[in-house]
Amino acid sequence: MRAFYGDSVATSGQFAISDINRLVGSIDFDKSEVDGSSPQRFARQLDLRAEAFAIRERHQILSYRRLDALSNQIANRLLQDFGTKPLRVGLIFPLTIEAIAAHLGVWKAGKTCVPIDPAFPPARAAEILTDARAQVAIVAESEFESTRKLNTLECTLEFRSATDAMPERAPCVAVAADDHAAIIYVPGPDGRPTGIVHTHRSLLHRCWSDTQYFQISAHDRIALLASPGHGSGIPQMLSALLNGASVHPFDLQLRSFDELYDWLW
């Protein structure tokens, strides 16, 4: 095992971390970047690896350039419809390219994600959206009708219609480290969902820590097995995209463990 703890270095066998970095690529994530935002760190990876592939889902591959363009369309739609005011946006998607682009787009618009696992019962999804005071949701096509029936939102946008005809240019929105990035709901002591607010600073710190501990670099391929509606989903996604690596979503609710075994090997 290898890990960084502050300024100390743990090594495994005869290999120091500096030796491993030379073999697999340097780990270029300075702790000072924790004082920025997730879109800023992503933009840095875009400058370095625009044509590298960012996401692979089944037979679909999306480069960093195309992911940037798709997420910009989401951001520009939110800014067109709601301006620059603070906004909490429900996101209801299976593990797909669209789900990842939607999260990034919400952040680029300076808004807050409220991710919800589509497997949640409608009553729980409605309770989360109401508690979070979400005004709008962006959803997969498969979730559009069921989300509209919840009657808790001002507006429900289906992902493809939300991006239709929207410009692909990057929005001019300043996102600060202490801006709210996501509200993730976990079971509370009484069994009801309890929202945990994550700032960009807290998400970046988790990503920086994981990067150092697991020695993540642009050469890595990272499996995304957890929905962003659960605690580990967003960190898994960001550990790839904020390091120039590729993220590989695999939705266990739609596919089997036998498929997972074949997919991993």
Side-chain angles (χ1 to χ4, degrees), residues 153-173:
L153 299 160
E154 294 179 13
C155 178
T156 302
L157 299 172
E158 190 273 320
F159 182 90
R160 294 184 184 181
S161 63
T163 57
D164 188 41
M166 284 291 104
E168 297 181 354
R169 66 176 181 273
C172 297
V173 176

Side-chain angles (χ1 to χ4, degrees), residues 41-260:
R41 174 72 186 176
F42 176 81
R44 184 177 175 195
Q45 304 311 309
L46 177 68
D47 289 342
L48 294 171
R49 295 175 58 78
E51 302 308 326
F53 78 83
I55 311 172
R56 182 167 186 169
E57 180 207 345
R58 294 184 182 246
H59 301 298
Q60 292 181 283
I61 294 176
L62 205 69
S63 69
Y64 272 84
R65 186 185 302 280
R66 286 301 306 146
L67 175 58
D68 180 62
L70 196 57
S71 60
N72 287 345
Q73 288 179 301
I74 288 291
N76 286 321
R77 176 61 185 268
L78 289 172
L79 292 167
Q80 172 189 279
D81 291 358
F82 302 98
T84 57
K85 66 179 182 180
L87 189 72
R88 294 174 177 180
V89 182
L91 297 176
I92 308 178
F93 290 87
L95 286 178
T96 60
I97 286 173
E98 291 180 351
I100 296 169
H103 281 77
L104 191 56
V106 170
W107 291 328
K108 287 183 176 185
K111 316 302 185 189
T112 305
C113 295
V114 184
I116 298 175
D117 190 329
F120 287 170
R124 183 174 182 184
E127 185 177 10
I128 289 172
L129 291 168
T130 301
D131 185 76
R133 299 179 184 176
Q135 297 169 269
V136 60
I138 303 173
V139 303
E141 182 179 9
S142 59
E143 308 302 322
F144 182 70
E145 288 302 326
S146 60
T147 305
R148 287 184 62 188
K149 292 177 182 177
L150 296 177
N151 295 320
T152 61
L153 299 160
E154 294 179 13
C155 178
T156 302
L157 299 172
E158 190 273 320
F159 182 90
R160 294 184 184 181
S161 63
T163 57
D164 188 41
M166 284 291 104
E168 297 181 354
R169 66 176 181 273
C172 297
V173 176
V175 182
D178 291 320
D179 288 350
H180 292 177
I183 305 175
I184 299 175
Y185 278 77
V186 299
D190 58 356
R192 297 180 60 189
T194 299
I196 308 298
V197 176
H198 297 264
T199 64
H200 285 278
R201 187 190 306 277
S202 67
L203 290 180
L204 281 170
H205 189 276
R206 167 68 184 272
C207 185
W208 174 84
S209 178
D210 287 349
T211 298
Q212 307 306 318
Y213 187 86
F214 296 110
Q215 293 293 282
I216 300 170
S217 76
H219 300 280
D220 288 313
R221 294 173 289 176
I222 297 177
L224 177 59
L225 304 178
S227 166
H230 300 284
S232 60
I234 288 177
Q236 286 176 3
M237 178 175 69
L238 292 182
S239 66
L241 297 179
L242 301 190
N243 283 301
S246 59
V247 61
H248 300 251
F250 187 99
D251 198 325
L252 282 166
Q253 295 175 28
L254 302 176
R255 302 170 71 178
S256 69
F257 278 96
D258 286 341
E259 286 183 277
L260 175 62

